[in-house]
Amino acid sequence: MLSLHDKIVAITGASGGIGEATARLLAERGATVVLAARRSERIDAIAEDIREAGGRAATCVVDVTEAEDLHRLVSSTVGQYGRMDVLVNNAGIAPISPLADLDTASWAAMIDVNLRGMLNGVAAALPVFREQGSGHLVSIVSVAGLSVSPSMAVYAATKNAVRTVHEGLRTESTDGVVRTTAISPGYVRTDLADSMADPHIREQTRKNMDAVGIPPAAVARAVAFAIEQPDDVEIGEINVRPTVQA
């Protein structure tokens, strides 16, 4: 197993689910992790668990829809540790519904968190990566963007947009300074369904998670795999889903 020793990794959406699992696994493998999310009590508790287990962890309260919060995350990480090697853009929401419901507030929220939040991370991290001469941007996307299901049009659109931004950044990063990886899971057993207002969609999503969902740790392992690669190896995208679909 490769080690992540000395890697400095900031993770958004780290208060639960994929973000929490990623922080715990990376710390276990030797990375220093900075947990970022809105729920300060939750990320503080997770960071304390990591430190008690012998890992290195710090926290930063962040709302990814606020550009200044991402700049503060990056600057505080660099200020405390001297650099930031990886930014994991994980924060996301999915208050999905059929387009005919005209839930425009949820559409805007998904655009703000899933897409604008990721772009805010890019804007904050790229100057630091360029100054350091290296850096790795990892974003949690979704296989939902590859095969659009009913009620998921706007959510899938935001995830496809993130995938497009990643590809654009990859094609622009020809000097080897910035690496990019998109991690696209299928259903993951998290509390993401809690953000869905429609009770029928919420219940069906939970059933799908129970039937074919993968544990957050599986996605965390994909993140770790991408980060562990030598500097001259770039893993562009990893799809993480069960081999047998329901």
Side-chain angles (χ1 to χ4, degrees):
M1 180 184 296
L2 296 172
S3 172
L4 290 168
H5 184 64
D6 286 342
K7 291 282 188 181
I8 312 298
V9 184
I11 305 164
T12 67
S15 59
I18 294 170
E20 176 184 353
T22 299
R24 291 184 184 276
L25 179 63
L26 298 187
E28 180 182 317
R29 295 194 183 181
T32 297
V33 294
V34 181
L35 291 81
R38 291 177 298 177
R39 295 183 287 174
S40 60
E41 298 87 353
R42 181 61 185 153
I43 55 175
D44 286 344
I46 296 168
E48 181 60 27
D49 282 349
I50 291 172
R51 289 191 291 266
E52 288 180 355
R56 298 182 299 276
T59 63
C60 184
V61 177
V62 167
D63 179 344
V64 297
T65 67
E66 300 291 339
E68 57 268 29
D69 281 15
L70 271 302
H71 283 285
R72 180 165 46 80
L73 170 62
V74 172
S75 63
S76 64
T77 300
V78 174
Q80 186 167 356
Y81 299 108
R83 68 185 192 280
M84 184 181 74
D85 299 306
V86 185
L87 174 63
V88 180
N89 284 303
N90 168 68
I93 60 172
I96 61 176
S97 62
L99 290 172
D101 286 359
L102 301 179
D103 186 1
T104 56
S106 291
W107 300 352
M110 283 186 280
I111 292 169
D112 284 345
V113 175
N114 300 350
L115 176 56
R116 197 186 310 278
M118 177 266 187
L119 287 170
N120 286 339
V122 171
L126 278 186
V128 170
F129 289 166
R130 291 291 175 195
E131 184 176 352
Q132 294 173 167
S134 66
H136 194 167
L137 183 76
V138 179
S139 291
I140 307 302
V141 192
S142 174
V143 297
L146 301 174
S147 178
V148 183
S149 301
S151 79
M152 300 188 74
V154 177
Y155 176 77
T158 63
K159 291 301 187 177
N160 262 331
V162 171
R163 181 176 285 108
T164 300
V165 171
H166 261 266
E167 180 61 14
L169 182 57
R170 185 192 67 78
T171 61
E172 293 176 11
S173 302
T174 57
D175 56 5
V177 171
V178 179
R179 294 193 294 166
T180 65
T181 302
I183 308 291
S184 292
Y187 282 109
V188 183
R189 298 187 196 112
T190 69
D191 60 0
L192 192 65
D194 293 346
S195 66
M196 300 172 186
D198 187 305
H200 300 293
I201 294 176
R202 185 169 61 245
E203 184 59 27
Q204 185 58 53
T205 300
R206 286 173 176 160
K207 287 180 179 178
N208 290 339
M209 287 178 174
D210 290 340
V212 297
I214 59 176
V219 185
R221 288 193 294 271
V223 175
F225 173 78
I227 296 173
E228 287 169 337
Q229 301 308 304
D231 289 343
D232 60 346
V233 176
E234 181 177 60
I235 307 296
E237 181 165 358
I238 302 175
N239 290 352
V240 187
R241 49 187 165 183
T243 55
V244 178
Q245 299 289 329

